[in-house]
Each structure stands twice: as structure tokens, then as C-alpha cells.
Amino acid sequence: MLYWDMPYAIHNSVQNETDQVCFSHSHPSTPLSLGNSFIYFILWKCFKENPHGLWMSATGIKQCAEVANQKIINSTTLLELNHQAMTDKHKHNDDKKLQPILVFGPPLVFPTFEAQNLQNYHFLKAYSSQLPLHQFLAKQNVDPSSIQVILCNPHQKLSVDVIPLLPSLSLIVTTSAGTDHIDLTECSHRNIQVVSIAGEHAEDIADMTVGLLIDVIWKISATNRHVRKWGPSIPLNFSFGYKLEGKRVGIVGLGKIGVEVGKRLEAFGCKIMYNGRSQKPLVTYPFYSNVLELASNSDILVISCSLNEQTRHMVNREVMLALGKEGIIVNVGRGALIDEKELVRCLMEGKIGGAGLDVYENEPNIPKELIQLDNVVLSPHAASLTSNRLNSVCERVTERLEAFFSSKLPNILVLDD
Amino acid sequence: MESIGVLLVAQVIPYLEQELEKRYKLFRVWEYPQLPIEHANSIRAVVGNASAGANAALIEALPKLEIVSSFSVGVDMIDLDTCKEKGIRVTNTPDVLTEEVADLSIGLMLALLRRICQCDRYVRAGNWKKGDFKLTTKFSGKTVGIIGLGRIGEAVAKRAEGFNCPICYYSRTEKRDSKYKYYPNVVELASNCDILVVACPLTKETHHIINREVINALGPKGYLINIGRGKHVDEAELVSALQDGRLGGAGLDVFENEPVVPEELFGLENVVLLPHVGSGTIETRHAMADLVLGNLEAHFLGKPLLTPLV
């Protein structure tokens, strides 16, 4: 255990001949910071061999601290101490001392994460309140300047008042690949780190993309719906559907997800092409420098790129007309990548063949015209909602936050072992 | 050619019927409750489909029968033994729907594991406003077991590999040059895979090849995909297993007594039901028709058959 109040701590540890130094909350009004305590730990370690040396003057201790400051310590030991310090907090269930985490969204993983970390953090559930942030925090009796971390997801956009209100904010963790719900420019000005922990979801999203595509082609969802209404005797000899072999698939955004989609559809015999900000040197798929040209040369368009000012409404009427009335669009990126009003119009007018959509411009609302159509398959932003992914995300969020809170160490060089 | 009698024993697409009419003297079985002898003696070919072919009785009634050309890949409605005995040729329409059926089988797997039909229903019913959809099961990486590693089975395997799915199979004999893992019986295959696909022909041996034992071996986390024939599966057992939760789910394009579908399945979330759409594409049926016509033409010109089975 490491004591906050160091001289007492050194004395005690030596007395107990323990190899560890204890943490405890001594005087609420003068808690030493975690960082300083580590310096003192080094100090203690240096003097372990020579207990008599402890009885030094205050100046002497200060000098040793400075020496210790420059000493290189083993990083494993540091992390062990971090962990020990964190778990020791279990013994002191004082809410005020728990690190506050401001939560927006909330992330799907939050209930699990909260349950696992009740003793470690004070969760401020901003998502559950209609109040503006400063009022919400006032009501919780929380000083905005005590907040260093936000945990969020795209469900709830961080409004403009959030970042300016939190002077100590240094980390935003979002459990998504997309970051368009966060003002990245503001974060960059304020030196706030934005970390995206989406888990390995590229495969899940690629799987969903192919699933939506085949569903649109074969009308699986529509038919499955109708079979249950017609039953028990079903009409046979439907003649929709066709093979994917030979079809040209244009992938907009050949990132991690796009690559997985390409790989899967290649096995079906599709011809893969793509468009992106720039051509990728090691990729053999034909590259088209703009979406319009890609659409003109595709039977199927897959949208799997990120949303930003350049890509907003990138798939517009012109692109959809170029894709053609047999063409199919599958969108697993962001709703606003497609001009949604135009998409609905094109579908209603039969200007494109069909669409598989996992994302929309104004989730969870969808254009009501889509509900009547049998040539669209609608999914509620579920492309990465698998139980596998959730567990891995929870673990990684836990690790990241632990690392953040235990890494506030001034001037200590850490060696990787 | 006009004097060659051809008996059509099942409904086929208009294109095929018209072409047969043009080239031969066409008799439609539903127009003759009793086939007159002089017609019966002029019939040298029978054209059937998946649900109606040529049984022993019909073959006996047509003394001049030389060839049975089926508008389907499955020939379980044709008495192959009798045909062999009498030297009657049999042709089917393989390969024209291999890719379609393989595509559809993957589509069924994804629809099932990722609950795509439920997703679609969730959004249409306005439930998304109340909350997010639930977690589903990841498809990539699941082990796919295939019964019958023929053209369709191989095509399914190739697609599933694109999703990093390990492949294993059962067939009458092990395929020595296959890279996939072989199991000598279906129960073992079912015990060792997550998703079981029926892709073999229907014969006496494979009737009800999916029985209670196999279903139990597949288990509550296992999924069955049937793109073969309804009679491959003991449907009553399947229904009971799904209702009991002994089987994780099923994707079915075929049923034992089409067009009847067991109503007990309608309320189940873990079932995807399709009305035998696997061979339903316009392109496919046109290609199938061309094969039927091509085989008949080749036969009557004394040329080698295009796709003979017998």
C-alpha cells in the first residue's frame, strides 16, 4: 500500500518491513497527487537498504526526491502499482474521490462497463438528462473542471457547449469508428485526444453488407414476410433474383470495411472496383477517381466510407441515375453520405433497382415512403451489433481508461521491458 | 421432326412450351386423363420437372419412349432404374443454377444469424424509436458443414471461405483431393459444425437424411440450411426441435409437401422461409429450357447428349 502522507508512510513501511508501500486517503484537504506518490515510492525504494537514512531533514528528503525523479524505473512495476492503487480504491468507497467520467450516447457497451467499474469511476450520465450540461453538472454537485474524460457514441452528438464547459477535458473515447458526432477541430485546438474504440467490427459490417445485398436481390425479407401472410400454402415459381457472378461492384471507400466486402464478394465471382480519396498502391481492383464514374461502371454500389464535409451527399441523383434502374445501393457508412430525399425519389420512380440500408440521415427516423417498398431492406444501424464485438470493446475501453488515469506522472522516464 | 411425339408432364415456362410445340407434336398430360393408344405409341420423349417426371407405370405405358428430359437438376421423380433397364436416356439441367443456389444459401445463413428479416421488420414497425436492435451472432468464422460436395456444395464452400469459415463435409465417398475436412457420417458432421447445409441429390438413401439425431447433434447453437429437397429433412422433427429450442435456427427454401409450409414455423424468429426460389431466376429458367431443347435435338439427330444422367 502507498500512503499519501509520505514521511509517515516511509516510517510505517520500514517498521513493517514490507516490500510495498501503501495508499490511503489521509487528510482530505491535503491529498498528495498520484504522481508525487510515485516519486516518493522511488525515494523509499532507494532508502530501503538503509533505514537509518530515513531520518533526514526535510531538505534532504527533497534532494533525494529530485534524484529519484531522474531515476529510470521499471514500467512493469509502475503498471502493477497503478493496478494496485486502482483496486485499493475499493476499500474507500468515497464517491468524491472516484474519477468522474461524463457519459453521452450511451454506448451499447455502457451497462456492462458501468457494472464492472462501479468502484472505479463516478459516472455522470449526461445522456439521461434533458438539461443543458452546466445545469446537469450543477445538479450533480460536480465541478466541470474535474472532468477529464468523456465516454460517448454516435447516438448523441456532443453539442457545442460541451467542450468549452470542461477546461480539464483531455480525452474523449467513442465506441464507434465514426467521429462525426465530435467537433474534431475544437478538440485539436484544445489538445483533447479523441480515441475511437470500435472493436474489430470490419468483418461484422462486411457480413451485413453482403447479407443486405443478397436480401435485396432475392427479396428474402420481403418474401419471408409474405410467406407468413399467405401460408400455409405458398405460391411457387417466383422468378426474381439473379446470381452475383459477373456483377460489377463499386466500393466507395476501400478502408478496412471496404476491403472485407471486396474479399467476400470476390468469392461470389463479382468484379470489384473502388473509389476513395486516393488510389491504393497495393490494390489490384480498378480505381475510379470519382463516384459518378464508379457508379456508371457498376451494377452494385457499396458505401463504406467516412462522413465529412467532402463526402456529405456524395451519392446524389446524378450518381443514382448513373447506377441505373437495375442498380442496387448498399449503405453501411453514414446516412448523410446519400441524399436521402433523392434516394427515396429514385426508388419510388424506379430509377434504381433497390437499396439495402443500415444507416439514415436522421436515425432512428426513416422516410416513411420506404416502408411500402419491397425492393429495400432496412436495418437499424445494426451492422456491428454482434455479441463478440461488444465483449472486446468493453475490454479495450477498460484498458484505455485505466491507462489514461494511471499515466498522469510528471517527469518520470519509463523503460519498456 | 413434327411427327415426333413429346409428352409434357408438368408445367414449364411458356418459352419452353412454345418451343416444344413448334418442334414436336406436343401432348400435355393434363389434357388427356386417358392417353389414347395411338398417341401413346407416337411418344418418344417425356419432358418433366422437379415435381413430376416418369415413374415405372408411365414408362410402361409409352412403348416407344427413348428419352426423358427433365426441366430441373433433381431427377428424384424419374424412375432411373427402369430407364436404365430399358435403355431410355435421361437428361437434367445441371450447372445453370449452381451459382444462384450457392448465393442464396449464403444469403439464408446471413439472414438467419444476423436476423436481417427481423431487423427489417423492426424498422418498418417503428420499433427503432423505442430502442436499439439486439445483439446477433457473428457469421464470419463459423464452421460450415456441407452434405454433398457436388457442384452446388463446392460453390457454397468457396463463398463461405470468403468469410473465413472453416469448411467440412459429408458425402458418400471421401473426395481425396479436397482440402476440406471429411466426416464419414452426417451426425459427426453435425456435431462438428455451426451451420449445416443440405446440398446433395434426393435419393432413397438421402431421404430424411436430416433426422432427430442429426438435429440434436447440430444443437441449440446450430443452424440448418436446406436448399436441396424438402424430403431431405424430417420436417415434423425439425418443427418440434425448433419449437423446443433444440435447434438454433433454420433457413428453408424447400419443404416436404410444397406448396404447404408448416404453420408452426410462422411465429418463429429463428427461421427464414422462402417458397423454392432457388431456381427461380428468369435467366436460369431460360438456360434450363435451352438445355432441355438441346438434349432432345441432339438425341433425335443421333448426336451426343449435352447433359445425360443415364
Side-chain angles (χ1 to χ4, degrees):
Chain A
M1 292 195 294
L2 280 159
Y3 281 112
W4 289 107
D5 197 0
M6 207 50 199
Y8 177 57
I10 295 170
H11 173 79
N12 255 351
S13 300
V14 168
Q15 295 279 314
N16 301 330
E17 286 176 278
T18 53
D19 206 21
Q20 293 174 304
V21 187
C22 306
F23 254 127
S24 90
H25 299 287
S26 53
H27 216 284
S29 59
T30 57
L32 292 175
S33 77
L34 203 61
N36 288 339
S37 303
F38 281 111
I39 297 172
Y40 289 137
F41 171 71
I42 299 159
L43 176 67
W44 175 80
K45 272 263 193 197
C46 294
F47 286 93
K48 202 168 87 114
E49 310 309 319
N50 184 9
H52 301 295
L54 281 169
W55 306 113
M56 289 163 80
S57 64
T59 326
I61 291 176
K62 196 175 163 206
Q63 280 169 348
C64 290
E66 275 161 6
V67 167
N69 222 356
Q70 282 141 44
K71 260 207 168 342
I72 294 170
I73 58 170
N74 182 281
S75 64
T76 312
T77 315
L78 198 61
L79 288 168
E80 278 166 3
L81 288 167
N82 291 348
H83 191 67
Q84 187 66 38
M86 295 301 272
T87 49
D88 281 349
K89 283 185 174 172
H90 281 246
K91 304 189 174 75
H92 304 282
N93 200 4
D94 184 345
D95 219 54
K96 284 205 181 65
K97 300 298 177 200
L98 294 181
Q99 288 289 355
I101 295 183
L102 189 55
V103 186
F104 292 91
L108 201 65
V109 78
F110 184 62
T112 312
F113 181 72
E114 188 191 9
Q116 291 173 357
N117 288 279
L118 282 171
Q119 314 282 5
N120 299 330
Y121 305 112
H122 178 206
F123 293 105
L124 299 162
K125 303 180 190 175
Y127 60 84
S128 62
S129 169
Q130 306 287 4
L131 298 171
L133 187 61
H134 68 277
Q135 281 183 31
F136 167 74
L137 291 175
K139 207 164 165 219
Q140 303 284 318
N141 226 351
V142 170
D143 177 3
S145 65
S146 68
I147 294 172
Q148 301 176 74
V149 175
I150 285 179
L151 178 62
C152 65
N153 84 344
H155 231 157
Q156 185 177 12
K157 206 174 156 79
L158 297 189
S159 53
V160 288
D161 60 319
V162 170
I163 295 174
L165 188 64
L166 310 169
S168 308
L169 182 65
S170 6
L171 174 67
I172 299 179
V173 174
T174 177
T175 57
S176 63
T179 49
D180 45 281
H181 52 296
I182 301 168
D183 187 343
L184 295 177
T185 320
E186 186 62 23
C187 288
S188 153
H189 285 154
R190 286 268 316 268
N191 251 337
I192 297 168
Q193 199 186 7
V194 176
V195 171
S196 167
I197 299 183
E200 293 309 312
H201 65 170
E203 288 191 330
D204 286 330
I205 297 180
D207 289 356
M208 191 63 153
T209 307
V210 178
L212 286 170
L213 177 60
I214 300 181
D215 195 325
V216 174
I217 290 174
W218 289 90
K219 294 192 173 25
I220 296 179
S221 286
T223 310
N224 189 50
R225 217 169 34 238
H226 294 314
V227 164
R228 287 155 206 259
K229 277 190 276 173
W230 298 320
S233 179
I234 49 175
L236 300 176
N237 298 324
F238 280 103
S239 58
F240 36 74
Y242 50 81
K243 61 183 176 185
L244 276 167
E245 194 188 48
K247 291 284 181 271
R248 303 164 300 169
V249 175
I251 301 180
V252 182
L254 201 69
K256 267 188 172 172
I257 296 168
V259 162
E260 293 295 325
V261 173
K263 178 174 153 218
R264 281 152 178 72
L265 290 177
E266 271 193 293
F268 286 76
C270 293
K271 297 189 178 43
I272 313 290
M273 310 161 299
Y274 73 107
N275 158 256
R277 267 173 310 199
S278 56
Q279 190 163 3
K280 294 187 190 265
L282 298 171
V283 169
T284 51
Y285 304 145
F287 173 78
Y288 286 86
S289 53
N290 67 72
V291 184
L292 183 61
E293 246 197 284
L294 183 70
S296 311
N297 289 285
S298 304
D299 306 300
I300 295 159
L301 207 60
V302 171
I303 321 286
S304 55
C305 60
S306 53
L307 178 65
N308 53 50
E309 280 317 302
Q310 289 79 44
T311 58
R312 180 170 296 275
H313 282 199
M314 181 177 62
V315 179
N316 53 25
R317 186 176 178 87
E318 212 189 344
V319 170
M320 287 188 262
L321 292 179
L323 186 62
K325 57 188 183 61
E326 304 292 328
I328 296 180
I329 294 181
V330 180
N331 188 4
V332 291
R334 279 285 177 274
L337 289 164
I338 303 182
D339 181 342
E340 200 165 83
K341 283 204 179 67
E342 273 307 327
L343 173 66
V344 172
R345 205 169 289 148
C346 285
L347 283 164
M348 308 275 289
E349 293 171 4
K351 295 283 196 277
I352 56 169
L357 306 172
D358 190 44
V359 286
Y360 313 83
E361 285 208 67
N362 188 23
E363 293 171 22
N365 301 300
I366 61 152
K368 56 177 165 28
E369 297 90 333
L370 295 180
I371 298 179
Q372 309 309 325
L373 300 175
D374 267 0
N375 58 344
V376 296
V377 180
L378 306 168
S379 167
H381 207 148
S384 56
L385 285 185
T386 61
S387 34
N388 281 63
R389 189 187 79 82
L390 210 72
N391 295 334
S392 82
V393 168
C394 197
E395 276 169 37
R396 288 181 56 195
V397 170
T398 305
E399 276 168 32
R400 189 64 185 80
L401 291 175
E402 255 179 41
F404 173 82
F405 284 114
S406 58
S407 69
K408 312 289 281 168
L409 298 165
N411 304 321
I412 291 188
L413 292 167
V414 176
L415 254 188
D416 281 328
D417 34 355
Chain B
M1 283 275 198
E2 281 247 351
S3 56
I4 296 176
V6 173
L7 181 64
L8 185 61
V9 297
Q11 297 274 11
V12 295
I13 55 172
Y15 164 69
L16 179 57
E17 202 175 322
Q18 282 152 23
E19 285 298 312
L20 287 170
E21 181 98 60
K22 263 195 254 171
R23 300 168 191 214
Y24 308 105
K25 180 137 181 52
L26 187 64
F27 298 94
R28 296 169 183 76
V29 77
W30 52 91
E31 288 173 0
Y32 297 90
Q34 283 263 35
L35 195 63
I37 301 276
E38 64 269 23
H39 293 321
N41 284 344
S42 71
I43 288 170
R44 292 165 66 185
V46 163
V47 173
N49 72 0
S51 35
N55 57 16
L58 181 66
I59 296 169
E60 292 299 331
L62 304 172
K64 296 285 197 317
L65 184 61
E66 296 167 20
I67 177 169
V68 179
S69 189
S70 191
F71 180 65
S72 68
V73 80
V75 290
D76 38 280
M77 297 307 287
I78 301 176
D79 189 329
L80 296 175
D81 292 329
T82 306
C83 288
K84 276 199 197 99
E85 248 178 83
K86 291 179 173 275
I88 296 170
R89 308 305 304 275
V90 177
T91 68
N92 66 346
T93 57
D95 277 345
V96 288
L97 39 63
T98 304
E99 285 82 23
E100 284 86 345
V101 174
D103 285 3
L104 191 64
S105 67
I106 303 288
L108 281 170
M109 292 181 211
L110 286 164
L112 203 47
L113 268 73
R114 297 300 303 272
R115 295 285 193 265
I116 298 181
C117 305
Q118 277 75 40
C119 281
D120 182 74
R121 192 163 51 234
Y122 195 76
V123 176
R124 284 169 202 263
N127 292 331
W128 196 11
K129 298 190 222 233
K130 302 181 198 151
D132 275 336
F133 195 67
K134 60 186 178 189
L135 297 177
T136 55
T137 308
K138 184 176 175 128
F139 172 65
S140 277
K142 289 287 184 288
T143 303
V144 174
I146 305 176
I147 300 178
L149 206 62
R151 282 171 298 254
I152 294 178
E154 285 273 10
V156 172
K158 178 162 159 243
R159 283 152 179 73
E161 282 190 299
F163 294 81
N164 305 319
C165 293
I167 310 291
C168 45
Y169 73 101
Y170 161 78
S171 60
R172 271 172 313 188
T173 51
E174 187 176 357
K175 302 200 186 262
R176 293 284 158 207
D177 49 359
S178 173
K179 47 181 170 159
Y180 308 132
K181 184 161 171 59
Y182 174 73
Y183 286 98
N185 64 71
V186 186
V187 172
E188 251 194 274
L189 180 67
S191 312
N192 288 286
C193 68
D194 302 304
I195 303 170
L196 186 63
V197 183
V198 183
C200 59
L202 181 67
T203 62
K204 275 197 290 286
E205 292 81 38
T206 62
H207 180 264
H208 280 197
I209 194 171
I210 306 295
N211 55 23
R212 191 183 181 89
E213 211 191 340
V214 171
I215 292 171
N216 286 340
L218 197 45
K221 290 212 169 79
Y223 300 86
L224 176 71
I225 304 289
N226 192 4
I227 39 133
R229 284 280 179 273
K231 294 194 197 308
H232 276 125
V233 176
D234 182 339
E235 206 162 82
E237 277 300 335
L238 175 67
V239 172
S240 132
L242 286 165
Q243 288 178 313
D244 292 346
R246 282 181 286 119
L247 180 64
L252 309 170
D253 187 38
V254 287
F255 303 89
E256 255 198 287
N257 298 304
E258 286 172 29
V260 176
V261 176
E263 278 182 278
E264 300 92 323
L265 297 180
F266 288 174
L268 298 177
E269 275 225 343
N270 55 346
V271 169
V272 179
L273 308 168
L274 294 177
H276 206 152
V277 300
S279 63
T281 76
I282 297 173
E283 290 163 2
T284 311
R285 290 184 173 187
H286 213 96
M288 286 162 72
D290 286 339
L291 266 181
V292 170
L293 295 167
N295 275 304
L296 289 175
E297 185 175 43
H299 173 77
F300 292 118
L301 288 176
K303 293 207 183 119
L305 296 181
L306 304 176
T307 50
L309 272 180
V310 172

